[in-house]
Amino acid sequence: MRDCLSVILIGVAFSSTAAETLLQGIEQTTVWNHPDELFAPSVLPLAFKTPIKPDTLIVKTAAQAGMDYLVLYEQLSVASRLPVDFAGSDCIEGDQDVTGDGDIAASCFLQAGQHDFDADGLPEIVLALGDGTLNLQVNIFAYHPPARPVDAIRSENWELIGHFTGQSKAIMDGRSILLPFGSQGLEEKRTLIDGKFLNASDVES
């Protein structure tokens, strides 16, 4: 298993450029955008303050079809999958019932980063899939650390707490995510309160 995970980590991490920025307000991100070597992974170091901590997020083409979104626990030599949901996105190709998350369209790319919305030392993982213009889907995942190392691969450790659609980009701002739309400076704002993202009107009331 350790040798297999070492192979996963050997690849190219694609840096985001100004033209390829779906996520703003995050210091470190990685981009997956159809590398010449199709199975080369994009790698994002993770920073969690917990005894049983995942070290790396790996995004790559799956061996059969679709994409893999893997979280690697290096000391334990195990990896788990994020419960990604990009269903209905124009950036997903293929039969999603067969390929799971589906293949990313050549006109789109995926950007991943980490942002600690509630400053609890367990930053959320943010995945954004889009074309940089009109189509954007954002997944935000919370980590629930297990009590025992043997439970590191449990699916219950990861929860999809945010699933948003937008247009060109998503902006992380403290406890909130901002989703601009249109050309008039309008935006949708969601704020993380008690583990749930609420819209601005709910927070103000």
PDB file of all heavy atoms in Angstrom, residues 96-128:
ATOM      1  N   GLN A  96     -22.785   9.989 -15.812  1.00  0.00           N
ATOM      2  CA  GLN A  96     -22.388  10.094 -14.414  1.00  0.00           C
ATOM      3  C   GLN A  96     -22.858   8.898 -13.600  1.00  0.00           C
ATOM      4  O   GLN A  96     -22.290   8.593 -12.551  1.00  0.00           O
ATOM      5  CB  GLN A  96     -22.910  11.399 -13.819  1.00  0.00           C
ATOM      6  CG  GLN A  96     -22.271  12.626 -14.458  1.00  0.00           C
ATOM      7  CD  GLN A  96     -22.738  13.925 -13.828  1.00  0.00           C
ATOM      8  OE1 GLN A  96     -22.946  13.994 -12.636  1.00  0.00           O
ATOM      9  NE2 GLN A  96     -22.891  14.947 -14.645  1.00  0.00           N
ATOM     10  N   ASP A  97     -23.901   8.200 -14.050  1.00  0.00           N
ATOM     11  CA  ASP A  97     -24.329   6.997 -13.349  1.00  0.00           C
ATOM     12  C   ASP A  97     -23.286   5.895 -13.462  1.00  0.00           C
ATOM     13  O   ASP A  97     -23.184   5.030 -12.605  1.00  0.00           O
ATOM     14  CB  ASP A  97     -25.660   6.489 -13.918  1.00  0.00           C
ATOM     15  CG  ASP A  97     -26.814   7.426 -13.594  1.00  0.00           C
ATOM     16  OD1 ASP A  97     -26.713   8.140 -12.586  1.00  0.00           O
ATOM     17  OD2 ASP A  97     -27.803   7.432 -14.348  1.00  0.00           O
ATOM     18  N   VAL A  98     -22.510   5.947 -14.532  1.00  0.00           N
ATOM     19  CA  VAL A  98     -21.487   4.923 -14.750  1.00  0.00           C
ATOM     20  C   VAL A  98     -20.131   5.383 -14.222  1.00  0.00           C
ATOM     21  O   VAL A  98     -19.420   4.634 -13.546  1.00  0.00           O
ATOM     22  CB  VAL A  98     -21.363   4.590 -16.259  1.00  0.00           C
ATOM     23  CG1 VAL A  98     -20.210   3.619 -16.502  1.00  0.00           C
ATOM     24  CG2 VAL A  98     -22.676   4.002 -16.758  1.00  0.00           C
ATOM     25  N   THR A  99     -19.784   6.640 -14.486  1.00  0.00           N
ATOM     26  CA  THR A  99     -18.434   7.109 -14.162  1.00  0.00           C
ATOM     27  C   THR A  99     -18.351   7.852 -12.838  1.00  0.00           C
ATOM     28  O   THR A  99     -17.332   8.419 -12.512  1.00  0.00           O
ATOM     29  CB  THR A  99     -17.923   8.038 -15.277  1.00  0.00           C
ATOM     30  OG1 THR A  99     -18.779   9.184 -15.351  1.00  0.00           O
ATOM     31  CG2 THR A  99     -17.912   7.336 -16.612  1.00  0.00           C
ATOM     32  N   GLY A 100     -19.428   7.840 -12.051  1.00  0.00           N
ATOM     33  CA  GLY A 100     -19.369   8.514 -10.760  1.00  0.00           C
ATOM     34  C   GLY A 100     -19.379  10.015 -10.926  1.00  0.00           C
ATOM     35  O   GLY A 100     -20.385  10.595 -11.318  1.00  0.00           O
ATOM     36  N   ASP A 101     -18.243  10.667 -10.680  1.00  0.00           N
ATOM     37  CA  ASP A 101     -18.169  12.115 -10.789  1.00  0.00           C
ATOM     38  C   ASP A 101     -18.052  12.581 -12.230  1.00  0.00           C
ATOM     39  O   ASP A 101     -18.144  13.773 -12.501  1.00  0.00           O
ATOM     40  CB  ASP A 101     -16.971  12.647  -9.982  1.00  0.00           C
ATOM     41  CG  ASP A 101     -17.088  12.284  -8.517  1.00  0.00           C
ATOM     42  OD1 ASP A 101     -18.171  12.469  -7.947  1.00  0.00           O
ATOM     43  OD2 ASP A 101     -16.104  11.815  -7.964  1.00  0.00           O
ATOM     44  N   GLY A 102     -17.835  11.677 -13.156  1.00  0.00           N
ATOM     45  CA  GLY A 102     -17.740  12.030 -14.563  1.00  0.00           C
ATOM     46  C   GLY A 102     -16.390  12.612 -14.931  1.00  0.00           C
ATOM     47  O   GLY A 102     -15.551  12.905 -14.090  1.00  0.00           O
ATOM     48  N   ASP A 103     -16.173  12.771 -16.232  1.00  0.00           N
ATOM     49  CA  ASP A 103     -14.937  13.343 -16.750  1.00  0.00           C
ATOM     50  C   ASP A 103     -15.082  14.855 -16.871  1.00  0.00           C
ATOM     51  O   ASP A 103     -16.152  15.358 -17.235  1.00  0.00           O
ATOM     52  CB  ASP A 103     -14.615  12.752 -18.127  1.00  0.00           C
ATOM     53  CG  ASP A 103     -14.392  11.251 -18.054  1.00  0.00           C
ATOM     54  OD1 ASP A 103     -13.543  10.824 -17.257  1.00  0.00           O
ATOM     55  OD2 ASP A 103     -15.074  10.521 -18.789  1.00  0.00           O
ATOM     56  N   ILE A 104     -14.016  15.575 -16.591  1.00  0.00           N
ATOM     57  CA  ILE A 104     -14.036  17.027 -16.711  1.00  0.00           C
ATOM     58  C   ILE A 104     -13.877  17.415 -18.178  1.00  0.00           C
ATOM     59  O   ILE A 104     -12.977  16.945 -18.865  1.00  0.00           O
ATOM     60  CB  ILE A 104     -12.921  17.658 -15.862  1.00  0.00           C
ATOM     61  CG1 ILE A 104     -13.191  17.390 -14.380  1.00  0.00           C
ATOM     62  CG2 ILE A 104     -12.834  19.161 -16.111  1.00  0.00           C
ATOM     63  CD1 ILE A 104     -12.120  17.936 -13.447  1.00  0.00           C
ATOM     64  N   ALA A 105     -14.768  18.272 -18.655  1.00  0.00           N
ATOM     65  CA  ALA A 105     -14.734  18.703 -20.049  1.00  0.00           C
ATOM     66  C   ALA A 105     -13.446  19.466 -20.345  1.00  0.00           C
ATOM     67  O   ALA A 105     -12.883  20.131 -19.468  1.00  0.00           O
ATOM     68  CB  ALA A 105     -15.947  19.586 -20.350  1.00  0.00           C
ATOM     69  N   ALA A 106     -12.995  19.384 -21.590  1.00  0.00           N
ATOM     70  CA  ALA A 106     -11.733  20.023 -21.974  1.00  0.00           C
ATOM     71  C   ALA A 106     -11.794  21.542 -21.840  1.00  0.00           C
ATOM     72  O   ALA A 106     -10.758  22.195 -21.696  1.00  0.00           O
ATOM     73  CB  ALA A 106     -11.372  19.634 -23.404  1.00  0.00           C
ATOM     74  N   SER A 107     -12.989  22.122 -21.862  1.00  0.00           N
ATOM     75  CA  SER A 107     -13.127  23.576 -21.762  1.00  0.00           C
ATOM     76  C   SER A 107     -13.104  24.066 -20.317  1.00  0.00           C
ATOM     77  O   SER A 107     -13.158  25.274 -20.075  1.00  0.00           O
ATOM     78  CB  SER A 107     -14.437  24.013 -22.421  1.00  0.00           C
ATOM     79  OG  SER A 107     -15.540  23.389 -21.786  1.00  0.00           O
ATOM     80  N   CYS A 108     -13.032  23.147 -19.372  1.00  0.00           N
ATOM     81  CA  CYS A 108     -13.120  23.499 -17.951  1.00  0.00           C
ATOM     82  C   CYS A 108     -11.876  23.052 -17.193  1.00  0.00           C
ATOM     83  O   CYS A 108     -11.050  22.298 -17.703  1.00  0.00           O
ATOM     84  CB  CYS A 108     -14.358  22.860 -17.328  1.00  0.00           C
ATOM     85  SG  CYS A 108     -15.915  23.367 -18.101  1.00  0.00           S
ATOM     86  N   PHE A 109     -11.756  23.516 -15.966  1.00  0.00           N
ATOM     87  CA  PHE A 109     -10.667  23.082 -15.083  1.00  0.00           C
ATOM     88  C   PHE A 109     -11.156  23.093 -13.653  1.00  0.00           C
ATOM     89  O   PHE A 109     -12.226  23.642 -13.339  1.00  0.00           O
ATOM     90  CB  PHE A 109      -9.418  23.954 -15.259  1.00  0.00           C
ATOM     91  CG  PHE A 109      -9.615  25.407 -14.888  1.00  0.00           C
ATOM     92  CD1 PHE A 109      -9.238  25.896 -13.651  1.00  0.00           C
ATOM     93  CD2 PHE A 109     -10.161  26.302 -15.808  1.00  0.00           C
ATOM     94  CE1 PHE A 109      -9.411  27.233 -13.323  1.00  0.00           C
ATOM     95  CE2 PHE A 109     -10.337  27.637 -15.487  1.00  0.00           C
ATOM     96  CZ  PHE A 109      -9.960  28.110 -14.239  1.00  0.00           C
ATOM     97  N   LEU A 110     -10.406  22.437 -12.797  1.00  0.00           N
ATOM     98  CA  LEU A 110     -10.759  22.345 -11.384  1.00  0.00           C
ATOM     99  C   LEU A 110      -9.675  22.989 -10.548  1.00  0.00           C
ATOM    100  O   LEU A 110      -8.481  22.797 -10.811  1.00  0.00           O
ATOM    101  CB  LEU A 110     -10.946  20.891 -10.965  1.00  0.00           C
ATOM    102  CG  LEU A 110     -11.337  20.703  -9.494  1.00  0.00           C
ATOM    103  CD1 LEU A 110     -12.515  19.742  -9.365  1.00  0.00           C
ATOM    104  CD2 LEU A 110     -10.157  20.206  -8.657  1.00  0.00           C
ATOM    105  N   GLN A 111     -10.069  23.769  -9.555  1.00  0.00           N
ATOM    106  CA  GLN A 111      -9.130  24.395  -8.632  1.00  0.00           C
ATOM    107  C   GLN A 111      -9.494  23.978  -7.214  1.00  0.00           C
ATOM    108  O   GLN A 111     -10.674  23.968  -6.840  1.00  0.00           O
ATOM    109  CB  GLN A 111      -9.157  25.916  -8.769  1.00  0.00           C
ATOM    110  CG  GLN A 111      -8.036  26.611  -7.984  1.00  0.00           C
ATOM    111  CD  GLN A 111      -7.948  28.097  -8.309  1.00  0.00           C
ATOM    112  OE1 GLN A 111      -8.834  28.660  -8.932  1.00  0.00           O
ATOM    113  NE2 GLN A 111      -6.880  28.724  -7.879  1.00  0.00           N
ATOM    114  N   ALA A 112      -8.485  23.621  -6.427  1.00  0.00           N
ATOM    115  CA  ALA A 112      -8.702  23.161  -5.058  1.00  0.00           C
ATOM    116  C   ALA A 112      -7.880  24.008  -4.098  1.00  0.00           C
ATOM    117  O   ALA A 112      -6.769  24.432  -4.410  1.00  0.00           O
ATOM    118  CB  ALA A 112      -8.299  21.691  -4.925  1.00  0.00           C
ATOM    119  N   GLY A 113      -8.439  24.242  -2.913  1.00  0.00           N
ATOM    120  CA  GLY A 113      -7.732  24.989  -1.882  1.00  0.00           C
ATOM    121  C   GLY A 113      -8.310  24.675  -0.520  1.00  0.00           C
ATOM    122  O   GLY A 113      -9.237  23.863  -0.387  1.00  0.00           O
ATOM    123  N   GLN A 114      -7.753  25.322   0.513  1.00  0.00           N
ATOM    124  CA  GLN A 114      -8.211  25.156   1.885  1.00  0.00           C
ATOM    125  C   GLN A 114      -8.505  26.510   2.489  1.00  0.00           C
ATOM    126  O   GLN A 114      -7.752  27.470   2.283  1.00  0.00           O
ATOM    127  CB  GLN A 114      -7.139  24.463   2.730  1.00  0.00           C
ATOM    128  CG  GLN A 114      -7.429  23.019   3.049  1.00  0.00           C
ATOM    129  CD  GLN A 114      -6.489  22.481   4.112  1.00  0.00           C
ATOM    130  OE1 GLN A 114      -5.299  22.753   4.102  1.00  0.00           O
ATOM    131  NE2 GLN A 114      -7.022  21.718   5.026  1.00  0.00           N
ATOM    132  N   HIS A 115      -9.595  26.600   3.257  1.00  0.00           N
ATOM    133  CA  HIS A 115      -9.935  27.849   3.952  1.00  0.00           C
ATOM    134  C   HIS A 115     -10.628  27.494   5.254  1.00  0.00           C
ATOM    135  O   HIS A 115     -11.596  26.738   5.258  1.00  0.00           O
ATOM    136  CB  HIS A 115     -10.850  28.714   3.085  1.00  0.00           C
ATOM    137  CG  HIS A 115     -11.225  30.015   3.723  1.00  0.00           C
ATOM    138  ND1 HIS A 115     -10.325  31.057   3.853  1.00  0.00           N
ATOM    139  CD2 HIS A 115     -12.398  30.445   4.288  1.00  0.00           C
ATOM    140  CE1 HIS A 115     -10.926  32.075   4.449  1.00  0.00           C
ATOM    141  NE2 HIS A 115     -12.178  31.726   4.729  1.00  0.00           N
ATOM    142  N   ASP A 116     -10.126  28.040   6.361  1.00  0.00           N
ATOM    143  CA  ASP A 116     -10.706  27.761   7.675  1.00  0.00           C
ATOM    144  C   ASP A 116     -11.794  28.790   7.958  1.00  0.00           C
ATOM    145  O   ASP A 116     -11.548  29.838   8.550  1.00  0.00           O
ATOM    146  CB  ASP A 116      -9.616  27.796   8.749  1.00  0.00           C
ATOM    147  CG  ASP A 116     -10.066  27.139  10.046  1.00  0.00           C
ATOM    148  OD1 ASP A 116     -11.267  26.862  10.179  1.00  0.00           O
ATOM    149  OD2 ASP A 116      -9.215  26.905  10.923  1.00  0.00           O
ATOM    150  N   PHE A 117     -13.010  28.480   7.528  1.00  0.00           N
ATOM    151  CA  PHE A 117     -14.115  29.426   7.649  1.00  0.00           C
ATOM    152  C   PHE A 117     -14.406  29.804   9.097  1.00  0.00           C
ATOM    153  O   PHE A 117     -14.684  30.965   9.398  1.00  0.00           O
ATOM    154  CB  PHE A 117     -15.384  28.851   7.004  1.00  0.00           C
ATOM    155  CG  PHE A 117     -15.361  28.844   5.505  1.00  0.00           C
ATOM    156  CD1 PHE A 117     -14.877  27.752   4.812  1.00  0.00           C
ATOM    157  CD2 PHE A 117     -15.832  29.929   4.784  1.00  0.00           C
ATOM    158  CE1 PHE A 117     -14.853  27.731   3.423  1.00  0.00           C
ATOM    159  CE2 PHE A 117     -15.818  29.925   3.395  1.00  0.00           C
ATOM    160  CZ  PHE A 117     -15.325  28.828   2.719  1.00  0.00           C
ATOM    161  N   ASP A 118     -14.354  28.829  10.004  1.00  0.00           N
ATOM    162  CA  ASP A 118     -14.709  29.104  11.397  1.00  0.00           C
ATOM    163  C   ASP A 118     -13.505  29.143  12.334  1.00  0.00           C
ATOM    164  O   ASP A 118     -13.666  29.161  13.556  1.00  0.00           O
ATOM    165  CB  ASP A 118     -15.734  28.095  11.906  1.00  0.00           C
ATOM    166  CG  ASP A 118     -15.318  26.651  11.622  1.00  0.00           C
ATOM    167  OD1 ASP A 118     -14.167  26.443  11.186  1.00  0.00           O
ATOM    168  OD2 ASP A 118     -16.145  25.750  11.834  1.00  0.00           O
ATOM    169  N   ALA A 119     -12.284  29.163  11.777  1.00  0.00           N
ATOM    170  CA  ALA A 119     -11.051  29.335  12.561  1.00  0.00           C
ATOM    171  C   ALA A 119     -10.954  28.338  13.715  1.00  0.00           C
ATOM    172  O   ALA A 119     -10.533  28.686  14.822  1.00  0.00           O
ATOM    173  CB  ALA A 119     -10.951  30.767  13.082  1.00  0.00           C
ATOM    174  N   ASP A 120     -11.278  27.070  13.435  1.00  0.00           N
ATOM    175  CA  ASP A 120     -11.220  26.059  14.489  1.00  0.00           C
ATOM    176  C   ASP A 120     -10.015  25.132  14.355  1.00  0.00           C
ATOM    177  O   ASP A 120      -9.891  24.145  15.076  1.00  0.00           O
ATOM    178  CB  ASP A 120     -12.508  25.230  14.500  1.00  0.00           C
ATOM    179  CG  ASP A 120     -12.713  24.429  13.223  1.00  0.00           C
ATOM    180  OD1 ASP A 120     -11.947  24.638  12.245  1.00  0.00           O
ATOM    181  OD2 ASP A 120     -13.641  23.598  13.182  1.00  0.00           O
ATOM    182  N   GLY A 121      -9.095  25.450  13.429  1.00  0.00           N
ATOM    183  CA  GLY A 121      -7.925  24.604  13.219  1.00  0.00           C
ATOM    184  C   GLY A 121      -8.180  23.418  12.312  1.00  0.00           C
ATOM    185  O   GLY A 121      -7.274  22.640  12.042  1.00  0.00           O
ATOM    186  N   LEU A 122      -9.427  23.277  11.843  1.00  0.00           N
ATOM    187  CA  LEU A 122      -9.786  22.211  10.907  1.00  0.00           C
ATOM    188  C   LEU A 122     -10.316  22.876   9.639  1.00  0.00           C
ATOM    189  O   LEU A 122     -11.522  22.954   9.409  1.00  0.00           O
ATOM    190  CB  LEU A 122     -10.854  21.292  11.514  1.00  0.00           C
ATOM    191  CG  LEU A 122     -10.455  20.513  12.755  1.00  0.00           C
ATOM    192  CD1 LEU A 122     -11.665  19.773  13.328  1.00  0.00           C
ATOM    193  CD2 LEU A 122      -9.334  19.528  12.437  1.00  0.00           C
ATOM    194  N   PRO A 123      -9.414  23.395   8.806  1.00  0.00           N
ATOM    195  CA  PRO A 123      -9.855  24.134   7.615  1.00  0.00           C
ATOM    196  C   PRO A 123     -10.675  23.272   6.664  1.00  0.00           C
ATOM    197  O   PRO A 123     -10.462  22.066   6.558  1.00  0.00           O
ATOM    198  CB  PRO A 123      -8.545  24.589   6.969  1.00  0.00           C
ATOM    199  CG  PRO A 123      -7.513  23.655   7.500  1.00  0.00           C
ATOM    200  CD  PRO A 123      -7.957  23.269   8.878  1.00  0.00           C
ATOM    201  N   GLU A 124     -11.621  23.903   6.024  1.00  0.00           N
ATOM    202  CA  GLU A 124     -12.451  23.213   5.042  1.00  0.00           C
ATOM    203  C   GLU A 124     -11.708  23.113   3.708  1.00  0.00           C
ATOM    204  O   GLU A 124     -10.918  23.990   3.362  1.00  0.00           O
ATOM    205  CB  GLU A 124     -13.770  23.970   4.838  1.00  0.00           C
ATOM    206  CG  GLU A 124     -14.774  23.822   5.969  1.00  0.00           C
ATOM    207  CD  GLU A 124     -14.344  24.535   7.256  1.00  0.00           C
ATOM    208  OE1 GLU A 124     -13.725  25.614   7.167  1.00  0.00           O
ATOM    209  OE2 GLU A 124     -14.639  24.007   8.348  1.00  0.00           O
ATOM    210  N   ILE A 125     -11.944  22.023   2.998  1.00  0.00           N
ATOM    211  CA  ILE A 125     -11.419  21.854   1.645  1.00  0.00           C
ATOM    212  C   ILE A 125     -12.439  22.417   0.668  1.00  0.00           C
ATOM    213  O   ILE A 125     -13.635  22.132   0.765  1.00  0.00           O
ATOM    214  CB  ILE A 125     -11.130  20.380   1.334  1.00  0.00           C
ATOM    215  CG1 ILE A 125      -9.959  19.877   2.201  1.00  0.00           C
ATOM    216  CG2 ILE A 125     -10.814  20.183  -0.146  1.00  0.00           C
ATOM    217  CD1 ILE A 125      -9.636  18.402   1.990  1.00  0.00           C
ATOM    218  N   VAL A 126     -11.961  23.239  -0.271  1.00  0.00           N
ATOM    219  CA  VAL A 126     -12.834  23.876  -1.252  1.00  0.00           C
ATOM    220  C   VAL A 126     -12.431  23.402  -2.647  1.00  0.00           C
ATOM    221  O   VAL A 126     -11.269  23.516  -3.041  1.00  0.00           O
ATOM    222  CB  VAL A 126     -12.735  25.419  -1.175  1.00  0.00           C
ATOM    223  CG1 VAL A 126     -13.730  26.055  -2.132  1.00  0.00           C
ATOM    224  CG2 VAL A 126     -12.962  25.904   0.249  1.00  0.00           C
ATOM    225  N   LEU A 127     -13.387  22.863  -3.385  1.00  0.00           N
ATOM    226  CA  LEU A 127     -13.174  22.468  -4.778  1.00  0.00           C
ATOM    227  C   LEU A 127     -14.077  23.315  -5.662  1.00  0.00           C
ATOM    228  O   LEU A 127     -15.284  23.430  -5.392  1.00  0.00           O
ATOM    229  CB  LEU A 127     -13.507  20.991  -5.007  1.00  0.00           C
ATOM    230  CG  LEU A 127     -12.703  19.925  -4.267  1.00  0.00           C
ATOM    231  CD1 LEU A 127     -13.177  18.535  -4.694  1.00  0.00           C
ATOM    232  CD2 LEU A 127     -11.226  20.079  -4.526  1.00  0.00           C
ATOM    233  N   ALA A 128     -13.510  23.884  -6.707  1.00  0.00           N
ATOM    234  CA  ALA A 128     -14.288  24.678  -7.664  1.00  0.00           C
ATOM    235  C   ALA A 128     -14.059  24.128  -9.063  1.00  0.00           C
ATOM    236  O   ALA A 128     -12.919  23.949  -9.489  1.00  0.00           O
ATOM    237  CB  ALA A 128     -13.889  26.146  -7.603  1.00  0.00           C
TER     238      ALA A 128
END
